[in-house]
């Protein structure tokens, strides 16, 4: 068992982890985007907008529900999904605080592709940068 299994984090950190895990799939992000644009949608409405099977959308909605990102209301036979705004606010606060603490110096911005480790060998001066040559032709492998 890994060390992280035994660690206990504060409630907000646990919530952020759960939210990020739930948002770790493009379909779930798309569902959240649709709900943000128009709240109170049924699974059928979401299926009409995302070309996946109803069962697949339902599974993604369940993951979002487990992370408390969507609220579920039942109206007769219809299940209505909407955004759980409080948890989105938790995520927004976390991301805002995180981004406000990051500082990248101008020098580092210009040298993002520079290798930080020391190179050995006679061509080490060439390996200082991760060059990209878009015009260079890639050899095609015959099949």
């Amino acid at each position: 068992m890994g060390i992280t299994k035994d660690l206990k984090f504060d409630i907000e950190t646990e919530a952020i982890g759960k939210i990020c895990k739930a948002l770790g799939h493009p379909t779930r992000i798309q569902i959240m985007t649709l709900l943000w644009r128009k709240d109170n949608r049924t699974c059928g409405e979401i299926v009409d907008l995302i070309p996946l099977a109803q069962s697949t959308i339902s599974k993604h909605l369940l993951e979002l529900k487990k992370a408390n990102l969507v609220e579920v209301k039942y109206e007769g036979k219809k299940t209505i999904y909407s955004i759980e705004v409080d948890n989105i606010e938790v995520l927004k606060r976390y991301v805002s605080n995180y981004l406000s603490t990051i500082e990248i110096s101008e020098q580092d911005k210009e040298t993002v592709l520079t290798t930080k480790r020391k190179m050995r060998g006679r061509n080490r001066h060439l390996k200082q940068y991760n060059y990209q040559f878009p015009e260079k032709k890639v050899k095609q492998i015959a099949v």
Side-chain angles (χ1 to χ4, degrees), residues 17-30:
K18 205 175 192 183
I19 290 168
C20 290
K21 184 176 180 182
L23 292 175
H25 194 284
T27 300
R28 293 194 283 270
I29 292 171
Q30 188 64 47

Side-chain angles (χ1 to χ4, degrees), residues 12-139:
E12 189 174 75
T13 302
E14 292 284 348
I16 295 299
K18 205 175 192 183
I19 290 168
C20 290
K21 184 176 180 182
L23 292 175
H25 194 284
T27 300
R28 293 194 283 270
I29 292 171
Q30 188 64 47
I31 290 169
M32 292 299 291
T33 302
L34 291 173
L35 290 173
W36 200 259
R37 288 182 181 155
K38 179 185 174 270
D39 230 356
N40 300 312
R41 293 184 191 255
T42 64
C43 183
E45 288 176 90
I46 295 169
V47 170
D48 288 343
L49 297 165
I50 300 175
L52 293 171
Q54 186 272 329
S55 59
T56 303
I57 296 294
S58 290
K59 287 177 186 176
H60 285 298
L61 284 165
L62 180 61
E63 290 301 313
L64 293 170
K65 182 183 174 199
K66 285 182 191 174
N68 297 315
L69 289 171
V70 295
E71 282 183 46
V72 181
K73 289 183 250 167
Y74 300 98
E75 293 179 5
K77 292 184 178 184
K78 288 184 179 181
T79 305
I80 311 292
Y81 297 90
S82 60
I83 288 196
E84 175 58 66
V85 178
D86 290 345
N87 280 331
I88 297 298
E89 286 298 324
V90 168
L91 179 63
K92 182 180 173 185
R93 225 177 13 256
Y94 171 76
V95 171
S96 296
N97 289 338
Y98 178 76
L99 292 176
S100 69
T101 62
I102 295 176
E103 286 187 32
I104 300 173
S105 71
E106 288 303 312
Q107 182 181 4
D108 286 343
K109 285 180 188 174
E110 293 171 10
T111 58
V112 170
L113 294 178
T114 304
T115 310
K116 297 294 182 197
R117 58 195 158 105
K118 292 189 177 190
M119 294 295 194
R120 294 186 182 147
R122 73 189 139 140
N123 291 332
R124 68 178 176 262
H125 65 284
L126 297 176
K127 294 183 180 181
Q128 182 178 358
Y129 299 97
N130 295 321
Y131 290 108
Q132 295 179 7
F133 301 99
E135 69 280 350
K136 188 174 180 181
K137 293 182 181 176
V138 178
K139 291 181 183 178

